[in-house]
Structures are given as C-alpha cells and as structure tokens.
C-alpha cells in the first residue's frame, strides 16, 4: 500500500493496480510451559528450575521476552527470578521488585523493550517491564550462574543472550529469599524470540508499516491543506516492480502525482 500527500481538497480517486509483492514474514516464535510453579515460603520454588526445551528456534537470537502468567504472592518483594540459557549464561530478570502489597494473578512480560522497569516500593500491575534487579548484595540462586540487570547491574537480554543459539533447554529459577510468605505462578511461563523490524509504527502516518515492531522515527505526515491518497497494488506476475513508473491524475486528466517503483519493492 502506498500513500502520497496531494493538494486536492477531496480525495475521491481509488486506484488498484494488479500487483502483489506480499511475502510471509516471521513475527517470532513462542514456547510455553503452562505447568504451575509453586513459590514456597522460603527457598527454591517447585519445580526448580522450570524448563522449556526450544527446538526449531533462531540460530542467532535478536530479541528475547519472558512472560510469567498468574503470579500471586503475599510479599512480592521476596521473589527472585533468573533465566538461564542452554549454554549456561543467565540473567536476573526480576529480583526484589514490589513491596508487601499482595500480587494477585499478575501477568508480567519481561523484555528489553519494556516500557519501564519494575518498581521497588509499590505494587507492580500486569504489564511489560524491562528486567529489574533490586537485590542488595548477591542473591544465592542454587544451580544458576547469572549476571544482574539494573539497577544492581547493567545486563540486559541483548547483552547476555544476543547472537546465541536459542535451541536447547531454557531454565527459569524462582525462589523466595525471605521466609513467611508464599505464592505461585499458576499459568507457568513462556519464552518468545522476536524479530525486531524498524519502521513507522503510527497508523496515521503516510509510511505506516504494520509489520514494524520498533519505531525508528521515520513517520511522514501530510501538511496543512493536504489529503492522503491511498492505493493498493498487486503484482499478479510475482516478478517485482523492476523500476516501473506510476502516474496519478485528477478528474481533469491532470497528473497530480508520479513516482518510480524500485525493483522488488
């Protein structure tokens, strides 16, 4: 789909060209272990660790996201969560976050593209967060070797796992580091490997890309007194555009827009 600005006060022209350069895009892969994780009042959760075996995943990781489903706990600040990759590298993705206010059936997605870090002095509602580690000193996570995320450290999903092979067994280590309170992750967890596609993510922009997952500041908008002309193109031969030109005319047969289509665009 192509949009162009035009000075016409009313856009009544609808153009459909027989073309199609549609191709299948991979939006990422998600692997899930729905088995509940019991967060015992002190020490290791059950099971410990909870694992997911990835097969057919990317050979070089671009982006990782972990989702825990149905997390409840009577003192969320006690929880420590570490993700360990098949190669043994690990990252603390949630440690000592929240406070004494009960977490009830919360769903957290943890990824480098999270809108914010978890907070340390209030309840964290369901949402998407960056990996966060508020631990004072070093948490003892038996069986796991890991580096800390901010603010205790500076590690991220990208710095720990970026470029690695995703295939193999991933382990989620969960523990309660202070006795007296307990909880569960009732819906288990999942891990997603996503393709980062830069582009314009604003649907009102002329160059909006519905496939984009990261806005790169390239959005273009019509100026005052301009309208957007939209036309869809479908290549029935499947051989791309090969430098073809297009022309847009108004009702008086005046050319109001023209351009060249790049090969394969």
């Amino acid at each position: 789909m192509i949009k162009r600005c035009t000075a016409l006060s009313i856009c009544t022209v609808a153009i459909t060209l027989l073309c199609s350069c549609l191709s299948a895009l991979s939006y990422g892969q998600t692997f899930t272990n729905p088995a509940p994780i019991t967060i015992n009042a002190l020490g290791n959760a059950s099971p410990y660790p909870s694992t997911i075996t990835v097969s057919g995943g990317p050979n070089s990781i671009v982006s990782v996201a972990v989702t825990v489903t149905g997390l409840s706990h009577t003192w969320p600040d006690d929880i420590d969560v570490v993700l360990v990759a098949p190669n043994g590298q690990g990252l603390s993705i949630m440690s000592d976050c929240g406070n004494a206010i009960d977490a009830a059936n919360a769903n957290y997605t943890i990824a480098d593209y999270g809108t914010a870090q978890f907070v340390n002095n209030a309840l964290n509602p369901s949402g998407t967060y960056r990996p966060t580690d508020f631990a004072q000193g070093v948490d003892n996570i038996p069986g796991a070797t890991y580096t800390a995320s901010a603010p205790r450290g500076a590690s991220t999903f990208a710095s720990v796992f970026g470029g690695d092979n995703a295939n193999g067994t991933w382990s989620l280590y969960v523990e309660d580091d202070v006795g007296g309170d307990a909880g569960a992750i009732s819906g288990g967890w999942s891990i997603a490997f996503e393709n980062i596609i830069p582009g314009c993510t604003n649907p009102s922009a002329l160059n909006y890309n519905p496939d984009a997952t990261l806005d790169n500041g390239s959005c273009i908008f019509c100026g005052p007194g301009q309208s957007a002309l939209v036309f869809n193109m479908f290549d029935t031969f499947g051989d791309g555009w090969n430098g073809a030109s297009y022309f847009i005319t108004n009702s008086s047969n005046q050319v109001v827009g023209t351009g060249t289509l790049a090969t394969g665009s």
Side-chain angles (χ1 to χ4, degrees), residues 40-227:
N40 299 305
L42 179 62
N44 300 345
S46 302
Y48 184 87
S50 176
T51 62
I52 291 176
T53 298
V54 172
S55 178
N59 293 324
S60 180
I61 294 172
V62 174
S63 176
V64 183
V66 170
T67 298
V68 294
T69 303
L71 187 150
S72 299
H73 199 280
T74 52
W75 198 299
D77 190 68
D78 292 354
I79 302 172
D80 301 320
V81 182
V82 169
L83 177 69
V84 177
N87 63 6
Q89 295 183 356
L91 172 68
S92 61
I93 61 173
M94 185 173 72
S95 180
D96 297 357
C97 301
N99 56 10
I101 300 175
D102 292 3
N105 204 37
N107 300 322
Y108 297 136
T109 294
I110 307 169
D112 288 343
Y113 59 76
T115 54
Q117 288 187 308
F118 290 99
V119 297
N120 190 33
N121 56 0
L123 180 66
N124 291 286
S126 294
T128 302
Y129 297 88
R130 295 192 294 272
T132 309
D133 188 336
F134 287 110
Q136 301 296 316
V138 178
D139 280 325
N140 179 30
I141 311 292
T145 300
Y146 70 96
T147 57
S149 56
R152 181 161 72 96
S155 294
T156 64
F157 283 100
S159 69
V160 176
F161 307 121
D164 293 343
N165 191 317
N167 295 291
T169 299
W170 291 78
S171 301
L172 194 72
Y173 292 83
V174 182
E175 72 160 15
D176 186 304
D177 60 12
V178 179
D181 291 271
I185 302 174
S186 61
W189 66 291
S190 63
I191 185 167
F193 304 97
E194 302 175 83
N195 294 329
I196 296 178
I197 304 174
C200 175
T201 61
N202 189 325
S204 63
L206 298 177
N207 59 332
Y208 167 61
N209 181 1
D211 298 325
T213 58
L214 178 67
D215 195 287
N216 62 359
S218 65
C219 293
I220 301 172
F221 300 91
C222 279
Q226 294 180 315
S227 301

Side-chain angles (χ1 to χ4, degrees), residues 3 8 40 63 69 90 125 135 146 179 183 237 246-247 258:
K3 295 183 180 181
L8 296 175
N40 299 305
S63 176
T69 303
Y146 70 96
F237 295 102
Y246 65 89
F247 301 89
T258 186

